[in-house]
Amino acid sequence: MKPHLKQTWCIAQVTPRFLSTMEDILALYALPYDPAYPVICFDERPCFLIGDLHPPIPMQPGQVEKEHDAYTKHGSCALLAAIEPLTGARFGLVRPRRTMAECTEFCQELAARYPNATTIRLVLDNLNTHHAGAFSAHLPADEALALAQRFAFHYTPKGASWLNMIECEFAVISRQCLNRRIPTIEQLRTQILTLLEERSVKQIKIHWQFSLENARTTMNRHYRKVNPVNEKYQKTYVTDYLWCCSK
């Protein structure tokens, strides 16, 4: 027993809607690359602006840089970012807040980056600003409709933001950029966008491993609760043994 330890996770209720929405995302990820219908993963995250109360002691031969544990708070801002997993293309904006206005601006920029795309298939979560109504609130009706028609929204299930591949990119940004004190939005914008541009130029792709088959087998008990006929997707040791022997 280790009562001082604890784990934190998001508890999602696996309902028929959850499974159908998850399968829609996984089927989308399994599609081959099509420049006319690019798959883009988009989300937002808060970033906190932190400064030094006392100047840090610079790095010296044989000694690492030292910073005082006291710090100053300078508010927060929002990072809006998207990634095209199959090409490694990335795009981001840093704004003081994240409202429907910023969501509309981001989608306008994103649409401009794919002028030849028939439909941009956008994976996003259920945030209250992530819908075409944001366009109508900040654009003339004809422009709002035209922008909405450029996109096909694919929402992740509630409580399952891990299905959005932009979360993988956010993890990298947190480790390589946001793990230090950055006091101003200008400095944060420069550092984050530089990192995104470097990774985009290198075309660092995401190779998604969780497939429909994985979902139906590893989560089979949830599938069976929704519909007992889904028991046919359950793997057994006998099935695995026979499959290995056939190979």
Side-chain angles (χ1 to χ4, degrees), residues 71-153:
Y71 57 87
T72 58
K73 297 180 180 180
H74 300 276
S76 63
C77 58
L79 166 63
L80 297 85
I83 182 173
E84 186 178 6
L86 295 181
T87 66
R90 290 158 171 81
F91 169 62
L93 292 177
V94 176
R95 294 292 183 265
R97 56 181 188 169
R98 49 175 185 171
T99 66
M100 288 192 292
E102 285 73 34
C103 181
T104 300
E105 178 191 4
F106 189 90
C107 287
Q108 286 179 300
E109 295 275 357
L110 196 58
R113 286 174 172 257
Y114 293 86
N116 299 321
T118 303
T119 301
I120 299 172
R121 296 180 287 198
L122 196 65
V123 177
L124 65 173
D125 64 15
N126 296 274
L127 193 65
N128 60 357
T129 61
H130 292 173
H131 52 79
F135 308 159
S136 298
H138 294 89
L139 296 173
D142 58 336
E143 294 182 24
L145 177 60
L147 183 60
Q149 290 177 336
R150 293 294 315 281
F151 292 95
F153 293 150

Side-chain angles (χ1 to χ4, degrees), residues 210 213-222 233:
F210 191 61
E213 181 183 3
N214 297 143
R216 291 170 182 173
T217 55
T218 59
M219 300 177 63
N220 190 257
R221 66 186 182 91
H222 297 292
Y233 299 114

